Each structure stands twice: as C-alpha cells, then as structure tokens.
Amino acid sequence: MRKLIAGNWKMNGLLAELEDVAAISEAVAAHPSVDTALCIPATLIRPAAGRFADMAIGGQDCHMAVSGAHTGCVSAEMLADAGAKLTIVGHSERRAAQGESDADIRGKALAARRAGIAAIVCVGETEAERDAGQAEAVVLHQLTGSLTDDATGDWLSVAYEPVWAIGTGRIPSVEDVAAMHAAIRAALVARFGAGGADIRILYGGSMNGENAASLLAIPNVDGGLIGGASLKAEKFLPIVAAAASA
Ligand code: PGA
C-alpha cells in the first residue's frame, strides 16, 4: 500500500504563505513513491491547487449539504470546485470545539464522496479515556459511527489521532500505536470485508522528522496526518522521506 503523508495547516496561512506551499510541493516531488497532500485554509485552496501539481491540495472540513442556508460553511462541492482533491473530516479540534457528532462526520464523509474528493476521517481518544482503559472502545465506537457503508480505500482514509498527542510533543508507545491500528484494521475488515484491508490508517499527533521512521514502520500505519511539522518544507520533508523508506 502506498503511504499517504498529509499536512494539516489548521487556521494558519495567508496568501504570503503560498511560498511555503510551493517549497513543500517542490520538496516532496523527490519522493514520488509517497502520496502527499496539504490540507490548507479554504481561502488558499484556489490559488494553491492550480500551481502545485506534485501534491494534492485539500480542505480541513466540509458541510454535509451541497448548498443552502448555512452561514459561514463550505460544502464539499465548493472545495472540489476550488481544486481540492480531499478533505479532513471529524478532526478532534472540531469534534470538541464545534460539537461535531459521529453522525455529522459520517454526513461530511458522504458529502466528500458525493463531490468526488477523498476524505480523511479522524478518530482518537482523550487522555482521560486512555487512562480509564477505554481508548480502544472509544476509538472503535467513533469509527463505527463516522464511516459510511460504502467506504473504500480509493476515497477514504482513517486517521488515528490521540487527542492528548496533538500539538503536545507526546506520542503513544510503539506498542500502543500497533495495538490501536491493529484494532482499527480488524474493525475495517469485519465491516467491509477484503476492502477493509485497502483503507489507509494514518497516525497523527506530534509526528515529526525524529519519530516518523519508527511510527511509519509499525504494521497498519499507512501514513501520517501532520500538524505543526507540515508548515515548513524543512520539517515536512523528513517525514515524507521516512515514509519513502518505510
Ligand atoms: P500535530 O497535529 O502534528 O501538530 O500534533 C496533528 C493534527 O492535529 O492533525
């Protein structure tokens, strides 16, 4: 399976930062064996998508409806129209701050498919849930509720992102990542049959140039979703290089 390394710029980036998108696109071109993507603010998708062909440009969220009275929202069709090839849905920051439910996220994933773009569906436990021994149950529950019945690996990926590892510099042990990704894989195969083996499972949360090689070597870690280390080419490139040699 080709690895996917996707950056998540979150709410960072003005037009001036298109130069950073260009530098990242140029850098990742050295590793054509890895699929790469950069999920940037909606305002930058149009100017970026036309210019940088070596990496897919994506959004970070979409509404489930095609259009309508949803002030401030962006539909999957609008992302596609602007040139996006994919979108993140269900990031924990949106689950927490915008109160998004698994059903909302399932609707957003369906919208992405309807619009002809790929979806990265995020799941992950909080630190309290892990401490209580509930990490796997929480993640599998989110997974069941957030995935659509027609999920296939050509348009959908899952990102396992422990909430407590996002932006903190802390990551789970290799054993814990391996166990969670194996549990997610088993759930995907149980639900989707052989096709469940083709759905990429990304790890996200403080992945960087130092830890990427060990994380990407874990079975069923099919790529990464990268926040802070995706903002600059010199931080992102080592992760893509690690994926190329994993
Ligand atoms: P981080 O963010 O790499 O900065 O921890 C990952 C994410 O939120 O997707």
PDB file of all heavy atoms in Angstrom, residues 120-141:
ATOM      1  N   ILE A 120     -10.411  12.151   4.777  1.00  0.00           N
ATOM      2  CA  ILE A 120      -9.626  11.587   5.886  1.00  0.00           C
ATOM      3  C   ILE A 120     -10.501  11.728   7.125  1.00  0.00           C
ATOM      4  O   ILE A 120     -10.776  12.850   7.574  1.00  0.00           O
ATOM      5  CB  ILE A 120      -8.294  12.334   6.087  1.00  0.00           C
ATOM      6  CG1 ILE A 120      -7.407  12.220   4.847  1.00  0.00           C
ATOM      7  CG2 ILE A 120      -7.573  11.800   7.324  1.00  0.00           C
ATOM      8  CD1 ILE A 120      -6.108  13.043   4.930  1.00  0.00           C
ATOM      9  N   VAL A 121     -10.980  10.614   7.646  1.00  0.00           N
ATOM     10  CA  VAL A 121     -11.889  10.614   8.790  1.00  0.00           C
ATOM     11  C   VAL A 121     -11.066  10.409  10.069  1.00  0.00           C
ATOM     12  O   VAL A 121     -10.375   9.397  10.219  1.00  0.00           O
ATOM     13  CB  VAL A 121     -12.930   9.477   8.658  1.00  0.00           C
ATOM     14  CG1 VAL A 121     -13.833   9.438   9.886  1.00  0.00           C
ATOM     15  CG2 VAL A 121     -13.763   9.660   7.388  1.00  0.00           C
ATOM     16  N   CYS A 122     -11.149  11.383  10.982  1.00  0.00           N
ATOM     17  CA  CYS A 122     -10.303  11.332  12.188  1.00  0.00           C
ATOM     18  C   CYS A 122     -11.043  10.714  13.378  1.00  0.00           C
ATOM     19  O   CYS A 122     -12.230  10.989  13.581  1.00  0.00           O
ATOM     20  CB  CYS A 122      -9.868  12.731  12.581  1.00  0.00           C
ATOM     21  SG  CYS A 122      -8.963  13.606  11.298  1.00  0.00           S
ATOM     22  N   VAL A 123     -10.315   9.926  14.141  1.00  0.00           N
ATOM     23  CA  VAL A 123     -10.811   9.355  15.394  1.00  0.00           C
ATOM     24  C   VAL A 123      -9.688   9.438  16.425  1.00  0.00           C
ATOM     25  O   VAL A 123      -8.521   9.561  16.057  1.00  0.00           O
ATOM     26  CB  VAL A 123     -11.246   7.875  15.222  1.00  0.00           C
ATOM     27  CG1 VAL A 123     -12.466   7.749  14.312  1.00  0.00           C
ATOM     28  CG2 VAL A 123     -10.098   7.011  14.683  1.00  0.00           C
ATOM     29  N   GLY A 124     -10.034   9.382  17.702  1.00  0.00           N
ATOM     30  CA  GLY A 124      -8.987   9.403  18.719  1.00  0.00           C
ATOM     31  C   GLY A 124      -9.552   9.641  20.096  1.00  0.00           C
ATOM     32  O   GLY A 124     -10.565  10.330  20.249  1.00  0.00           O
ATOM     33  N   GLU A 125      -8.876   9.071  21.093  1.00  0.00           N
ATOM     34  CA  GLU A 125      -9.349   9.172  22.473  1.00  0.00           C
ATOM     35  C   GLU A 125      -8.681  10.329  23.214  1.00  0.00           C
ATOM     36  O   GLU A 125      -7.590  10.754  22.852  1.00  0.00           O
ATOM     37  CB  GLU A 125      -9.063   7.860  23.218  1.00  0.00           C
ATOM     38  CG  GLU A 125      -7.647   7.689  23.781  1.00  0.00           C
ATOM     39  CD  GLU A 125      -6.589   7.374  22.729  1.00  0.00           C
ATOM     40  OE1 GLU A 125      -6.933   7.237  21.540  1.00  0.00           O
ATOM     41  OE2 GLU A 125      -5.394   7.278  23.099  1.00  0.00           O
ATOM     42  N   THR A 126      -9.341  10.812  24.259  1.00  0.00           N
ATOM     43  CA  THR A 126      -8.726  11.815  25.139  1.00  0.00           C
ATOM     44  C   THR A 126      -7.801  11.099  26.132  1.00  0.00           C
ATOM     45  O   THR A 126      -7.831   9.867  26.273  1.00  0.00           O
ATOM     46  CB  THR A 126      -9.784  12.579  25.949  1.00  0.00           C
ATOM     47  OG1 THR A 126     -10.463  11.639  26.800  1.00  0.00           O
ATOM     48  CG2 THR A 126     -10.804  13.259  25.038  1.00  0.00           C
ATOM     49  N   GLU A 127      -7.035  11.898  26.831  1.00  0.00           N
ATOM     50  CA  GLU A 127      -6.130  11.310  27.819  1.00  0.00           C
ATOM     51  C   GLU A 127      -6.913  10.618  28.942  1.00  0.00           C
ATOM     52  O   GLU A 127      -6.544   9.535  29.393  1.00  0.00           O
ATOM     53  CB  GLU A 127      -5.213  12.387  28.396  1.00  0.00           C
ATOM     54  CG  GLU A 127      -4.164  11.814  29.328  1.00  0.00           C
ATOM     55  CD  GLU A 127      -2.935  12.691  29.428  1.00  0.00           C
ATOM     56  OE1 GLU A 127      -3.086  13.927  29.356  1.00  0.00           O
ATOM     57  OE2 GLU A 127      -1.833  12.141  29.569  1.00  0.00           O
ATOM     58  N   ALA A 128      -8.024  11.239  29.362  1.00  0.00           N
ATOM     59  CA  ALA A 128      -8.829  10.643  30.436  1.00  0.00           C
ATOM     60  C   ALA A 128      -9.385   9.288  29.995  1.00  0.00           C
ATOM     61  O   ALA A 128      -9.426   8.331  30.777  1.00  0.00           O
ATOM     62  CB  ALA A 128      -9.965  11.589  30.823  1.00  0.00           C
ATOM     63  N   GLU A 129      -9.796   9.215  28.737  1.00  0.00           N
ATOM     64  CA  GLU A 129     -10.329   7.948  28.222  1.00  0.00           C
ATOM     65  C   GLU A 129      -9.233   6.881  28.166  1.00  0.00           C
ATOM     66  O   GLU A 129      -9.479   5.716  28.486  1.00  0.00           O
ATOM     67  CB  GLU A 129     -10.958   8.177  26.839  1.00  0.00           C
ATOM     68  CG  GLU A 129     -12.275   8.944  26.926  1.00  0.00           C
ATOM     69  CD  GLU A 129     -12.738   9.571  25.624  1.00  0.00           C
ATOM     70  OE1 GLU A 129     -11.934   9.695  24.665  1.00  0.00           O
ATOM     71  OE2 GLU A 129     -13.911   9.973  25.562  1.00  0.00           O
ATOM     72  N   ARG A 130      -8.028   7.288  27.781  1.00  0.00           N
ATOM     73  CA  ARG A 130      -6.926   6.305  27.766  1.00  0.00           C
ATOM     74  C   ARG A 130      -6.606   5.854  29.187  1.00  0.00           C
ATOM     75  O   ARG A 130      -6.451   4.661  29.447  1.00  0.00           O
ATOM     76  CB  ARG A 130      -5.680   6.874  27.073  1.00  0.00           C
ATOM     77  CG  ARG A 130      -4.496   5.903  27.128  1.00  0.00           C
ATOM     78  CD  ARG A 130      -3.454   6.126  26.048  1.00  0.00           C
ATOM     79  NE  ARG A 130      -3.876   5.713  24.716  1.00  0.00           N
ATOM     80  CZ  ARG A 130      -3.761   4.470  24.232  1.00  0.00           C
ATOM     81  NH1 ARG A 130      -3.263   3.495  24.981  1.00  0.00           N
ATOM     82  NH2 ARG A 130      -4.155   4.183  23.018  1.00  0.00           N
ATOM     83  N   ASP A 131      -6.521   6.830  30.111  1.00  0.00           N
ATOM     84  CA  ASP A 131      -6.197   6.483  31.499  1.00  0.00           C
ATOM     85  C   ASP A 131      -7.241   5.543  32.097  1.00  0.00           C
ATOM     86  O   ASP A 131      -6.936   4.729  32.964  1.00  0.00           O
ATOM     87  CB  ASP A 131      -6.096   7.751  32.364  1.00  0.00           C
ATOM     88  CG  ASP A 131      -4.854   8.565  32.022  1.00  0.00           C
ATOM     89  OD1 ASP A 131      -3.958   8.019  31.327  1.00  0.00           O
ATOM     90  OD2 ASP A 131      -4.783   9.738  32.428  1.00  0.00           O
ATOM     91  N   ALA A 132      -8.476   5.666  31.620  1.00  0.00           N
ATOM     92  CA  ALA A 132      -9.545   4.807  32.134  1.00  0.00           C
ATOM     93  C   ALA A 132      -9.608   3.452  31.418  1.00  0.00           C
ATOM     94  O   ALA A 132     -10.522   2.655  31.661  1.00  0.00           O
ATOM     95  CB  ALA A 132     -10.889   5.538  31.991  1.00  0.00           C
ATOM     96  N   GLY A 133      -8.646   3.212  30.522  1.00  0.00           N
ATOM     97  CA  GLY A 133      -8.609   1.934  29.820  1.00  0.00           C
ATOM     98  C   GLY A 133      -9.659   1.813  28.732  1.00  0.00           C
ATOM     99  O   GLY A 133      -9.996   0.713  28.287  1.00  0.00           O
ATOM    100  N   GLN A 134     -10.170   2.965  28.272  1.00  0.00           N
ATOM    101  CA  GLN A 134     -11.271   2.928  27.296  1.00  0.00           C
ATOM    102  C   GLN A 134     -10.868   3.357  25.895  1.00  0.00           C
ATOM    103  O   GLN A 134     -11.740   3.548  25.033  1.00  0.00           O
ATOM    104  CB  GLN A 134     -12.404   3.849  27.784  1.00  0.00           C
ATOM    105  CG  GLN A 134     -13.068   3.347  29.049  1.00  0.00           C
ATOM    106  CD  GLN A 134     -13.970   4.403  29.680  1.00  0.00           C
ATOM    107  OE1 GLN A 134     -13.909   5.572  29.323  1.00  0.00           O
ATOM    108  NE2 GLN A 134     -14.776   3.974  30.629  1.00  0.00           N
ATOM    109  N   ALA A 135      -9.572   3.519  25.671  1.00  0.00           N
ATOM    110  CA  ALA A 135      -9.131   4.101  24.391  1.00  0.00           C
ATOM    111  C   ALA A 135      -9.677   3.314  23.199  1.00  0.00           C
ATOM    112  O   ALA A 135     -10.252   3.889  22.269  1.00  0.00           O
ATOM    113  CB  ALA A 135      -7.610   4.175  24.346  1.00  0.00           C
ATOM    114  N   GLU A 136      -9.498   2.006  23.231  1.00  0.00           N
ATOM    115  CA  GLU A 136      -9.899   1.214  22.067  1.00  0.00           C
ATOM    116  C   GLU A 136     -11.416   1.255  21.863  1.00  0.00           C
ATOM    117  O   GLU A 136     -11.898   1.414  20.733  1.00  0.00           O
ATOM    118  CB  GLU A 136      -9.408  -0.226  22.231  1.00  0.00           C
ATOM    119  CG  GLU A 136      -9.537  -1.032  20.964  1.00  0.00           C
ATOM    120  CD  GLU A 136      -8.918  -2.423  21.103  1.00  0.00           C
ATOM    121  OE1 GLU A 136      -7.728  -2.522  21.497  1.00  0.00           O
ATOM    122  OE2 GLU A 136      -9.628  -3.406  20.830  1.00  0.00           O
ATOM    123  N   ALA A 137     -12.151   1.139  22.955  1.00  0.00           N
ATOM    124  CA  ALA A 137     -13.620   1.155  22.835  1.00  0.00           C
ATOM    125  C   ALA A 137     -14.099   2.490  22.273  1.00  0.00           C
ATOM    126  O   ALA A 137     -14.991   2.537  21.416  1.00  0.00           O
ATOM    127  CB  ALA A 137     -14.252   0.893  24.210  1.00  0.00           C
ATOM    128  N   VAL A 138     -13.512   3.588  22.752  1.00  0.00           N
ATOM    129  CA  VAL A 138     -13.909   4.917  22.285  1.00  0.00           C
ATOM    130  C   VAL A 138     -13.614   5.066  20.795  1.00  0.00           C
ATOM    131  O   VAL A 138     -14.450   5.523  20.012  1.00  0.00           O
ATOM    132  CB  VAL A 138     -13.165   6.011  23.098  1.00  0.00           C
ATOM    133  CG1 VAL A 138     -13.265   7.373  22.421  1.00  0.00           C
ATOM    134  CG2 VAL A 138     -13.712   6.072  24.516  1.00  0.00           C
ATOM    135  N   VAL A 139     -12.406   4.660  20.401  1.00  0.00           N
ATOM    136  CA  VAL A 139     -11.999   4.836  19.006  1.00  0.00           C
ATOM    137  C   VAL A 139     -12.849   3.964  18.079  1.00  0.00           C
ATOM    138  O   VAL A 139     -13.300   4.417  17.021  1.00  0.00           O
ATOM    139  CB  VAL A 139     -10.491   4.526  18.860  1.00  0.00           C
ATOM    140  CG1 VAL A 139     -10.101   4.347  17.405  1.00  0.00           C
ATOM    141  CG2 VAL A 139      -9.669   5.644  19.498  1.00  0.00           C
ATOM    142  N   LEU A 140     -13.104   2.735  18.478  1.00  0.00           N
ATOM    143  CA  LEU A 140     -13.896   1.849  17.617  1.00  0.00           C
ATOM    144  C   LEU A 140     -15.347   2.321  17.528  1.00  0.00           C
ATOM    145  O   LEU A 140     -15.990   2.193  16.483  1.00  0.00           O
ATOM    146  CB  LEU A 140     -13.808   0.404  18.098  1.00  0.00           C
ATOM    147  CG  LEU A 140     -12.403  -0.214  17.987  1.00  0.00           C
ATOM    148  CD1 LEU A 140     -12.424  -1.670  18.426  1.00  0.00           C
ATOM    149  CD2 LEU A 140     -11.815  -0.089  16.591  1.00  0.00           C
ATOM    150  N   HIS A 141     -15.840   2.905  18.610  1.00  0.00           N
ATOM    151  CA  HIS A 141     -17.198   3.460  18.585  1.00  0.00           C
ATOM    152  C   HIS A 141     -17.263   4.647  17.617  1.00  0.00           C
ATOM    153  O   HIS A 141     -18.189   4.764  16.805  1.00  0.00           O
ATOM    154  CB  HIS A 141     -17.608   3.879  19.996  1.00  0.00           C
ATOM    155  CG  HIS A 141     -19.045   4.281  20.108  1.00  0.00           C
ATOM    156  ND1 HIS A 141     -19.445   5.596  20.002  1.00  0.00           N
ATOM    157  CD2 HIS A 141     -20.176   3.551  20.270  1.00  0.00           C
ATOM    158  CE1 HIS A 141     -20.773   5.653  20.114  1.00  0.00           C
ATOM    159  NE2 HIS A 141     -21.227   4.426  20.276  1.00  0.00           N
TER     160      HIS A 141
END
